[in-house]
Amino acid sequence: MSSDVIVTSLFIFALAGFLGLEVIRRVPKLLHTPLMALTNALSAISLVGSIVILGQAQTMYSEIMGFIAVVASTINAVGGFLLTDKMLKMFNQRRPVKPSADAEPGAN
Amino acid sequence: MDKHTIVQLTYLVAAIGFALSLKWMSSAPTARRGIFAGEIGFVLAIAATLATDSITNKGYALVAIALIIGTLIGIPLGLKVPMTAMPQRIALSHAFGALAAGLVGTAHYYLERSHLGKFEMAVLGFEIILGCLVFTGSLMAAGKLQEVLPQRPIVFTGQNLVNFAVLGAAVVMVVILLFDTSRTWLIPPIILLSLLFGVLLIIPIGGADMPTVIALLNSYAGLSASALGIVLENKLLIVAGALDGMSGLILSIIMCRAMNRSFRNVLFGAFGQVQEASGDAGEVGSVRPASFDECAELLKMSRNVVIVPGYGMAVAQAQHKVAELTDALEKEGVEVRFAIHPVAGRMPGHMNVLLAEANIPYEKLLDMDEINSEFPQVDAVLVLGANDVVNPAARHNKSSPIYGMPILNVDQAAAIFVIKRSMNPGFAGIENELFYNPKTLMVFGDAKHVVNELTTEVSGQRDAISI
């Protein structure tokens, strides 16, 4: 790894960190749980790294590790996006102007 | 343009999508658009990665199988998990993310060890340690939250010493690897020590500290993803990891402030030590119990009511009943709002998602900062499963373990109702002065049952009058 690459990487890390700080500070407390679910889904982009390791299929060990990594990241990506969407849908639904009888507790 | 450039440009588009996605999270109406931006970026990045030349045919087959398995497990984890189980669900996803980062880092070491520079090896070592400790730490947190592991904090003498020795040993081994990256045998002990450290980090943590811990693990998971990005020279992963890490960091800072803990205290993981409950519980008077109909009658006569939900509401799964009570009171012309303390529940924003699930409009959910100045004008407060966050001792009793913690000033309201199972002190074992306040009436019983009874009383009485 040349020192140019290292410096570029650190640059990106520092600036992305600042960007995150500024953007996420503006997220209201109301949405902190969906925020966590969303950032989780986004950081599951480590899937790209997992795919490269598994896809090269170089040794048995790298295949096993890559395979588990792809499965775990995919779970986070798919599950994370679906979960965030489900939560935000709850925040945005308009309440039916009906008696409360239909607000039966869910099966959970 | 060669293929490599196209892939890199696609990553750039994806990174912009991720940034927009977080930007749009700044308000509830635009937030769903944000998910869409994130998803597009994600799919583009994956498609570009799959198009790279380094993937073999066998590799494609394995990737396809792994993607399908991951999707099949991910769908129920996204759609079926109830909101009450959200803290453990999120902890579990930190564990998966860290597992993936740790494994990819380890595999990268084995494949590339002959040409790793010092800087790369250092970042890689950091990444493997962080990935492994977040993996076991998050599993422990999820286990405690799901109550498959004992929730009681486990402390022993010299705990911090043992923890730092374990972590220190792993760090020393990474340092040795810096000077000779061919010492492959050092990797398994590094991994084992880091996994052990993750367990040790969480065993002294009690339920009330979970919001901070989950936020912190989130931050660590993000940092390890970013470190992996640096090692793999993958700029998109650096960006996504940094965003995730900062998000976790900000949430941990907010949680710390809300519990009056120092940030340094949290960064080094020395949180959650159970304080010896102070013997001086303040003057203990007598409490005044109230019946359901007394409480319902007073609530109905109020102009405005503030409900303070806490973890007890989540445990009793009372959020839907609370929504019914809100409806019944609003039909009587009572204004109902909710006061939410930042650390109410077991993770940041936990109460908000529970109440949103029960169809309560988010305009009614107010932060501590928004509502605190208004309590003197509030006719009645209903404390539902919250305890420490409404304890006035935090304001003036210097010997109290929660002294200095910002609280909801519910004692300034005209009347206070506390729904509680019994007079047993809360988790932290701290006596709550609020219960002995002359304005406070205690309504004893299971939260769900009590709220249900109150709803019946409030709406039933109305029917009797109107008939």
Side-chain angles (χ1 to χ4, degrees):
Chain A
M1 201 184 265
S2 73
S3 59
D4 254 8
V5 175
I6 294 174
V7 171
T8 310
S9 299
L10 293 176
F11 241 92
I12 295 171
F13 176 71
L15 294 179
F18 269 108
L19 176 71
L21 214 55
E22 288 305 313
V23 170
I24 289 155
R25 260 184 16 188
R26 291 180 171 74
V27 177
K29 290 199 177 82
L30 175 76
L31 296 180
H32 276 170
T33 301
L35 170 70
M36 252 189 185
L38 180 67
T39 53
N40 246 312
L42 295 182
S43 74
I45 196 68
S46 65
L47 183 53
V48 294
S50 324
I51 286 178
V52 172
I53 295 279
L54 176 59
Q56 289 172 345
Q58 288 192 16
T59 67
M60 192 184 71
Y61 288 118
S62 80
E63 279 175 24
I64 295 172
M65 289 193 262
F67 193 87
I68 299 173
V70 171
V71 171
S73 312
T74 313
I75 293 174
N76 263 5
V78 174
F81 280 122
L82 287 175
L83 179 63
T84 317
D85 193 54
K86 179 182 158 189
M87 283 195 267
L88 292 176
K89 239 188 271 176
M90 291 176 348
F91 278 105
N92 283 315
Q93 65 200 346
R94 285 294 131 200
R95 203 159 143 73
V97 202
K98 272 197 292 178
S100 55
D102 62 340
E104 273 304 303
N108 40 47
Chain B
M1 256 194 304
D2 61 344
K3 223 169 183 178
H4 177 76
T5 315
I6 296 175
V7 170
Q8 293 301 313
L9 287 176
T10 316
Y11 284 177
L12 175 63
V13 174
I16 293 171
F18 288 4
L20 279 176
S21 144
L22 290 174
K23 183 183 149 42
W24 280 327
M25 283 296 277
S26 59
S27 83
T30 57
R32 284 190 74 197
R33 201 195 305 162
I35 304 181
F36 196 56
E39 282 169 345
I40 290 180
F42 205 97
V43 171
L44 282 177
I46 299 303
T49 308
L50 286 172
T52 49
D53 295 325
S54 62
I55 300 179
T56 63
N57 281 341
K58 184 189 176 198
Y60 275 120
L62 289 172
V63 169
I65 297 170
L67 286 175
I68 292 169
I69 295 175
T71 308
L72 290 180
I73 303 173
I75 290 174
L77 276 178
L79 297 177
K80 297 272 185 262
V81 177
M83 287 302 133
T84 41
M86 223 17 77
Q88 49 269 47
R89 161 70 180 83
I90 297 286
L92 208 57
S93 69
H94 294 152
F96 286 141
L99 174 68
L103 285 172
V104 174
T106 310
H108 184 77
Y109 167 80
Y110 281 112
L111 294 175
E112 307 286 332
R113 62 179 179 277
S114 51
H115 31 87
L116 284 175
K118 274 204 177 60
F119 175 80
E120 265 173 293
M121 190 60 235
V123 177
L124 194 54
F126 170 78
E127 192 271 332
I128 293 175
I129 291 178
L130 214 52
C132 292
L133 79 86
V134 172
F135 176 60
T136 47
S138 299
L139 283 183
M140 288 288 295
K144 283 191 169 198
L145 288 161
Q146 186 66 39
E147 296 177 21
V148 290
L149 293 174
Q151 290 174 288
R152 201 171 41 81
I154 298 166
V155 281
F156 52 88
T157 44
Q159 194 157 22
N160 279 338
L161 203 67
V162 173
N163 289 3
F164 281 107
V166 170
L167 183 63
V171 172
V172 168
M173 290 183 192
V174 170
V175 173
I176 297 174
L177 269 176
L178 292 188
F179 295 99
D180 183 1
T181 54
S182 64
R183 293 177 205 253
T184 319
W185 57 272
L186 280 170
I187 292 290
I190 290 175
I191 292 176
L192 288 177
L193 286 169
S194 312
L195 292 173
L196 177 63
F197 181 72
V199 174
L200 291 172
L201 194 66
I202 304 302
I203 55 173
I205 306 293
D209 282 323
M210 277 304 168
T212 323
V213 174
I214 292 185
L216 200 65
L217 289 170
N218 182 359
S219 180
Y220 288 170
L223 283 180
S224 78
S226 209
L228 182 65
I230 291 177
V231 174
L232 299 180
E233 296 179 35
N234 186 317
K235 300 181 181 71
L236 177 60
L237 189 46
I238 301 178
V239 172
L243 294 174
D244 192 23
M246 280 303 155
S247 166
L249 187 69
I250 292 176
L251 294 177
S252 346
I253 294 174
I254 294 174
M255 295 298 113
C256 280
R257 287 203 185 132
M259 296 180 82
N260 192 34
R261 284 172 189 278
S262 80
F263 184 53
R264 203 209 302 177
N265 192 331
V266 169
L267 247 196
F268 294 102
F271 44 77
Q273 312 290 353
V274 264
Q275 295 107 334
E276 298 301 316
S278 75
D280 178 20
E283 74 282 40
V284 174
S286 57
V287 299
R288 300 188 303 150
S291 65
F292 299 145
D293 51 333
E294 277 176 286
C295 178
E297 186 63 31
L298 272 158
L299 287 177
K300 216 174 72 161
M301 284 176 352
S302 309
R303 272 165 305 143
N304 58 35
V305 170
V306 169
I307 300 178
V308 180
Y311 185 57
M313 182 185 81
V315 173
Q317 312 247 3
Q319 66 272 27
H320 296 280
K321 294 291 170 196
V322 172
E324 289 176 27
L325 177 63
T326 308
D327 270 338
L329 284 170
E330 281 177 343
K331 267 191 213 124
E332 299 294 328
V334 183
E335 185 198 10
V336 182
R337 288 173 300 171
F338 293 81
I340 297 175
H341 193 279
V343 293
R346 288 291 182 262
M347 72 176 295
H350 190 190
M351 289 299 120
N352 296 300
V353 284
L354 281 182
L355 293 169
E357 184 194 26
N359 258 349
I360 291 168
Y362 61 83
E363 294 88 351
K364 291 184 186 298
L365 312 178
L366 301 174
D367 280 355
M368 177 166 67
D369 305 334
E370 291 173 311
I371 190 98
N372 244 356
S373 58
E374 294 190 34
F375 276 111
Q377 283 91 49
V378 171
D379 291 336
V381 167
L382 193 65
V383 178
L384 190 65
N387 193 343
D388 293 342
V389 299
V390 293
N391 190 346
R395 283 202 305 259
H396 59 79
N397 183 353
K398 287 205 171 73
S399 66
S400 170
I402 58 166
Y403 176 72
M405 170 173 156
I407 56 156
L408 292 160
N409 298 324
V410 298
D411 54 331
Q412 295 170 355
I416 304 128
F417 296 98
V418 178
I419 298 179
K420 213 173 174 322
R421 222 175 243 285
S422 68
M423 277 310 291
N424 290 335
F427 170 80
I430 307 161
E431 202 63 69
N432 194 334
E433 282 180 20
L434 182 74
F435 304 160
Y436 305 100
N437 186 316
K439 290 189 291 188
T440 304
L441 288 169
M442 306 293 293
V443 186
F444 291 110
D446 169 72
K448 193 171 178 175
H449 173 70
V450 172
V451 174
N452 198 25
E453 290 295 320
L454 291 179
T455 313
T456 318
E457 292 285 342
V458 169
S459 46
Q461 284 168 6
R462 179 205 50 174
D463 289 345
I465 292 163
S466 63
I467 286 168

